[in-house]
Amino acid sequence: HKFLLRVIDAETNQPLDAKVRMRGTDNSTIGSLNRGDGVSEFVIMSSTVKRYMVYAELEGYIFENMEISLGGATAAPTKEEKSIKLRKIKTGETSVLRHVFFDTGKATLKPESFDELDKLLLMMQQNTKVRVEIGGHTDNVGSHDINLQLSQKRAVAVKSYMTSKGIEGKRVTAVGYAETKPL
């Protein structure tokens, strides 16, 4: 089963020669072949349908990732294609960190969050003038005041991770939004 991933500029729709990666949910890395014009080819050997995480990053752009399910290998060759649009880094751009996790009611980062945070870290290391606001969020269970405190603590936990890895504190602002800005 072949999977083709096309990376394009969100504004111009032009192909981008981005760094791409694909991992299985078991953290196994799937090798790729760069076919040019922003297209990478992955060969899936599994005979069962599995979920994968696909990442694309390029200096000057906000990294993107997506979760996909792909059908397993069959006797007849099959092919599936998807696109990822990368947006240039500019003032006011917003992006969701989809894989930053906390236990319910807590502000301690779960280990499975570090892969996504490391992508943010790399983006900030490559683009040294970038400043980000980390917005912490909660669900709407519980009181607003408790949720506001928790969301602030979660944002601070992400900021602390970034600064512990060498990003200057003045480049990262932590703000808690509680339940006021649902995804």
Side-chain angles (χ1 to χ4, degrees):
H1 184 82
K2 287 185 181 178
F3 172 65
L4 302 179
L5 179 68
R6 182 178 307 278
V7 182
I8 56 178
D9 184 294
E11 291 179 16
T12 66
N13 285 327
Q14 293 299 309
L16 294 173
D17 188 23
K19 179 180 177 184
V20 297
R21 240 182 1 162
M22 184 167 160
R23 282 188 175 168
T25 52
D26 61 355
N27 258 352
S28 60
T29 300
I30 312 300
S32 67
L33 170 68
N34 184 336
R35 294 181 51 169
D37 277 342
V39 177
S40 295
E41 177 182 307
F42 299 87
V43 177
I44 308 300
M45 301 304 289
S46 173
S47 59
T48 59
V49 175
K50 289 189 175 182
R51 288 186 350 210
Y52 300 90
M53 289 300 303
V54 181
Y55 304 96
E57 59 191 51
L58 180 63
E59 190 170 340
Y61 287 81
I62 299 171
F63 73 91
E64 283 292 332
N65 59 49
M66 69 176 166
E67 189 171 317
I68 57 171
S69 292
L70 293 174
T74 60
T78 57
K79 181 172 74 171
E80 192 169 340
E81 296 183 38
K82 290 202 181 287
S83 294
I84 288 184
K85 292 184 176 187
L86 294 183
R87 292 172 291 135
K88 286 187 178 172
I89 296 173
K90 60 184 175 185
T91 301
E93 283 291 329
T94 302
S95 186
V96 177
L97 297 174
R98 299 179 197 285
H99 299 95
V100 176
F101 303 106
F102 303 91
D103 284 326
T104 301
K106 296 190 178 174
T108 304
L109 288 162
K110 290 179 126 181
E112 55 266 34
S113 304
F114 300 139
D115 195 45
E116 181 116 346
L117 292 176
D118 287 344
K119 287 174 183 35
L120 175 61
L121 179 67
L122 178 62
M123 185 185 82
M124 292 189 73
Q125 289 169 336
Q126 290 174 338
N127 303 278
T128 57
K129 294 186 192 292
V130 168
R131 293 175 182 245
V132 297
E133 175 188 290
I134 302 297
H137 302 270
T138 63
D139 57 26
N140 60 1
V141 177
S143 78
H144 174 74
D145 289 343
I146 290 173
N147 285 340
L148 191 59
Q149 289 174 6
L150 179 59
S151 64
Q152 179 68 36
K153 288 178 182 176
R154 287 177 172 177
V156 168
V158 172
K159 177 179 179 171
S160 295
Y161 181 80
M162 301 304 289
T163 58
S164 76
K165 298 293 186 177
I167 299 298
E168 291 178 85
K170 67 182 182 183
R171 293 180 60 200
V172 184
T173 305
V175 179
Y177 289 104
E179 72 283 352
T180 62
K181 289 188 175 183
L183 182 61

